[in-house]
mmCIF file of all heavy atoms in Angstrom:
data_model
loop_
_atom_site.group_PDB
_atom_site.id
_atom_site.type_symbol
_atom_site.label_atom_id
_atom_site.label_comp_id
_atom_site.label_asym_id
_atom_site.label_seq_id
_atom_site.Cartn_x
_atom_site.Cartn_y
_atom_site.Cartn_z
ATOM 1 N N SER A 287 -1.325 4.740 -0.726
ATOM 2 C CA SER A 287 -2.571 5.110 -0.045
ATOM 3 C C SER A 287 -2.278 5.725 1.325
ATOM 4 O O SER A 287 -2.747 5.251 2.356
ATOM 5 C CB SER A 287 -3.453 3.868 0.098
ATOM 6 O OG SER A 287 -3.690 3.266 -1.144
ATOM 7 N N ILE A 288 -1.549 6.815 1.304
ATOM 8 C CA ILE A 288 -1.080 7.435 2.543
ATOM 9 C C ILE A 288 -2.140 8.352 3.140
ATOM 10 O O ILE A 288 -2.678 9.208 2.446
ATOM 11 C CB ILE A 288 0.214 8.218 2.286
ATOM 12 C CG1 ILE A 288 1.323 7.266 1.834
ATOM 13 C CG2 ILE A 288 0.640 8.970 3.546
ATOM 14 C CD1 ILE A 288 2.570 7.966 1.338
ATOM 15 N N PHE A 289 -2.390 8.169 4.424
ATOM 16 C CA PHE A 289 -3.243 9.099 5.166
ATOM 17 C C PHE A 289 -2.374 10.171 5.809
ATOM 18 O O PHE A 289 -2.616 11.359 5.667
ATOM 19 C CB PHE A 289 -4.062 8.359 6.221
ATOM 20 C CG PHE A 289 -4.866 9.252 7.114
ATOM 21 C CD1 PHE A 289 -6.018 9.851 6.644
ATOM 22 C CD2 PHE A 289 -4.469 9.502 8.428
ATOM 23 C CE1 PHE A 289 -6.772 10.690 7.458
ATOM 24 C CE2 PHE A 289 -5.210 10.328 9.251
ATOM 25 C CZ PHE A 289 -6.366 10.924 8.760
ATOM 26 N N SER A 290 -1.349 9.748 6.517
ATOM 27 C CA SER A 290 -0.370 10.664 7.081
ATOM 28 C C SER A 290 0.883 9.878 7.441
ATOM 29 O O SER A 290 0.846 8.662 7.588
ATOM 30 C CB SER A 290 -0.907 11.397 8.310
ATOM 31 O OG SER A 290 -1.083 10.505 9.387
ATOM 32 N N VAL A 364 3.858 4.918 8.819
ATOM 33 C CA VAL A 364 2.807 5.512 7.984
ATOM 34 C C VAL A 364 1.418 5.077 8.425
ATOM 35 O O VAL A 364 1.194 3.894 8.733
ATOM 36 C CB VAL A 364 3.021 5.112 6.515
ATOM 37 C CG1 VAL A 364 1.947 5.734 5.625
ATOM 38 C CG2 VAL A 364 4.396 5.520 6.030
ATOM 39 N N TYR A 365 0.496 6.020 8.425
ATOM 40 C CA TYR A 365 -0.926 5.708 8.505
ATOM 41 C C TYR A 365 -1.448 5.678 7.066
ATOM 42 O O TYR A 365 -1.250 6.637 6.318
ATOM 43 C CB TYR A 365 -1.681 6.754 9.308
ATOM 44 C CG TYR A 365 -1.349 6.762 10.781
ATOM 45 C CD1 TYR A 365 -0.350 7.577 11.288
ATOM 46 C CD2 TYR A 365 -2.048 5.940 11.660
ATOM 47 C CE1 TYR A 365 -0.049 7.572 12.641
ATOM 48 C CE2 TYR A 365 -1.754 5.938 13.013
ATOM 49 C CZ TYR A 365 -0.752 6.757 13.501
ATOM 50 O OH TYR A 365 -0.458 6.756 14.832
ATOM 51 N N TYR A 366 -2.125 4.580 6.698
ATOM 52 C CA TYR A 366 -2.550 4.439 5.302
ATOM 53 C C TYR A 366 -3.976 3.907 5.227
ATOM 54 O O TYR A 366 -4.484 3.293 6.169
ATOM 55 C CB TYR A 366 -1.592 3.527 4.539
ATOM 56 C CG TYR A 366 -1.515 2.109 5.063
ATOM 57 C CD1 TYR A 366 -2.315 1.098 4.523
ATOM 58 C CD2 TYR A 366 -0.645 1.783 6.098
ATOM 59 C CE1 TYR A 366 -2.246 -0.193 5.004
ATOM 60 C CE2 TYR A 366 -0.567 0.492 6.593
ATOM 61 C CZ TYR A 366 -1.363 -0.493 6.038
ATOM 62 O OH TYR A 366 -1.297 -1.772 6.518
ATOM 63 N N HIS A 367 -4.608 4.164 4.075
ATOM 64 C CA HIS A 367 -5.967 3.697 3.829
ATOM 65 C C HIS A 367 -5.930 2.245 3.366
ATOM 66 O O HIS A 367 -5.160 1.883 2.473
ATOM 67 C CB HIS A 367 -6.615 4.531 2.717
ATOM 68 C CG HIS A 367 -6.740 5.981 3.035
ATOM 69 N ND1 HIS A 367 -7.793 6.502 3.743
ATOM 70 C CD2 HIS A 367 -5.928 7.031 2.744
ATOM 71 C CE1 HIS A 367 -7.639 7.803 3.866
ATOM 72 N NE2 HIS A 367 -6.521 8.161 3.276
ATOM 73 N N ALA A 368 -6.805 1.419 3.934
ATOM 74 C CA ALA A 368 -6.923 0.031 3.486
ATOM 75 C C ALA A 368 -8.256 -0.523 3.969
ATOM 76 O O ALA A 368 -8.559 -0.429 5.156
ATOM 77 C CB ALA A 368 -5.786 -0.828 4.009
ATOM 78 N N ASN A 369 -8.996 -1.089 3.051
ATOM 79 C CA ASN A 369 -10.264 -1.736 3.434
ATOM 80 C C ASN A 369 -11.164 -0.802 4.230
ATOM 81 O O ASN A 369 -11.739 -1.199 5.253
ATOM 82 C CB ASN A 369 -9.990 -3.014 4.228
ATOM 83 C CG ASN A 369 -9.143 -4.001 3.453
ATOM 84 O OD1 ASN A 369 -9.293 -4.158 2.244
ATOM 85 N ND2 ASN A 369 -8.217 -4.640 4.150
ATOM 86 N N GLN A 370 -11.234 0.447 3.780
ATOM 87 C CA GLN A 370 -12.088 1.461 4.417
ATOM 88 C C GLN A 370 -11.693 1.721 5.862
ATOM 89 O O GLN A 370 -12.525 2.123 6.676
ATOM 90 C CB GLN A 370 -13.559 1.047 4.306
ATOM 91 C CG GLN A 370 -14.031 0.924 2.866
ATOM 92 C CD GLN A 370 -15.507 0.576 2.766
ATOM 93 O OE1 GLN A 370 -16.040 -0.148 3.599
ATOM 94 N NE2 GLN A 370 -16.157 1.102 1.744
ATOM 95 N N GLN A 371 -10.435 1.476 6.174
ATOM 96 C CA GLN A 371 -9.905 1.756 7.502
ATOM 97 C C GLN A 371 -8.618 2.567 7.369
ATOM 98 O O GLN A 371 -8.070 2.700 6.284
ATOM 99 C CB GLN A 371 -9.565 0.452 8.236
ATOM 100 C CG GLN A 371 -10.705 -0.515 8.416
ATOM 101 C CD GLN A 371 -10.200 -1.786 9.067
ATOM 102 O OE1 GLN A 371 -9.964 -1.840 10.283
ATOM 103 N NE2 GLN A 371 -10.021 -2.814 8.260
ATOM 104 N N ILE A 372 -8.175 3.099 8.499
ATOM 105 C CA ILE A 372 -6.859 3.721 8.576
ATOM 106 C C ILE A 372 -5.977 2.774 9.377
ATOM 107 O O ILE A 372 -6.231 2.530 10.564
ATOM 108 C CB ILE A 372 -6.911 5.101 9.242
ATOM 109 C CG1 ILE A 372 -7.857 6.042 8.483
ATOM 110 C CG2 ILE A 372 -5.510 5.698 9.326
ATOM 111 C CD1 ILE A 372 -7.415 6.346 7.073
ATOM 112 N N LEU A 373 -4.974 2.230 8.739
ATOM 113 C CA LEU A 373 -4.055 1.298 9.381
ATOM 114 C C LEU A 373 -2.681 1.943 9.497
ATOM 115 O O LEU A 373 -2.399 2.973 8.883
ATOM 116 C CB LEU A 373 -3.974 0.000 8.578
ATOM 117 C CG LEU A 373 -5.305 -0.729 8.346
ATOM 118 C CD1 LEU A 373 -5.073 -1.983 7.501
ATOM 119 C CD2 LEU A 373 -5.969 -1.090 9.663
ATOM 120 N N ARG A 374 -1.826 1.326 10.277
ATOM 121 C CA ARG A 374 -0.486 1.868 10.502
ATOM 122 C C ARG A 374 0.541 0.788 10.214
ATOM 123 O O ARG A 374 0.364 -0.375 10.577
ATOM 124 C CB ARG A 374 -0.334 2.347 11.944
ATOM 125 C CG ARG A 374 0.993 3.023 12.253
ATOM 126 C CD ARG A 374 0.994 3.565 13.673
ATOM 127 N NE ARG A 374 2.243 4.227 14.012
ATOM 128 C CZ ARG A 374 2.475 4.825 15.188
ATOM 129 N NH1 ARG A 374 1.536 4.831 16.113
ATOM 130 N NH2 ARG A 374 3.634 5.413 15.424
#
Side-chain angles (χ1 to χ4, degrees):
S287 304
I288 297 170
F289 175 75
S290 68
V364 181
Y365 292 92
Y366 62 94
H367 299 275
N369 302 322
Q370 299 183 326
Q371 302 176 77
I372 302 296
L373 303 178
R374 184 175 180 178

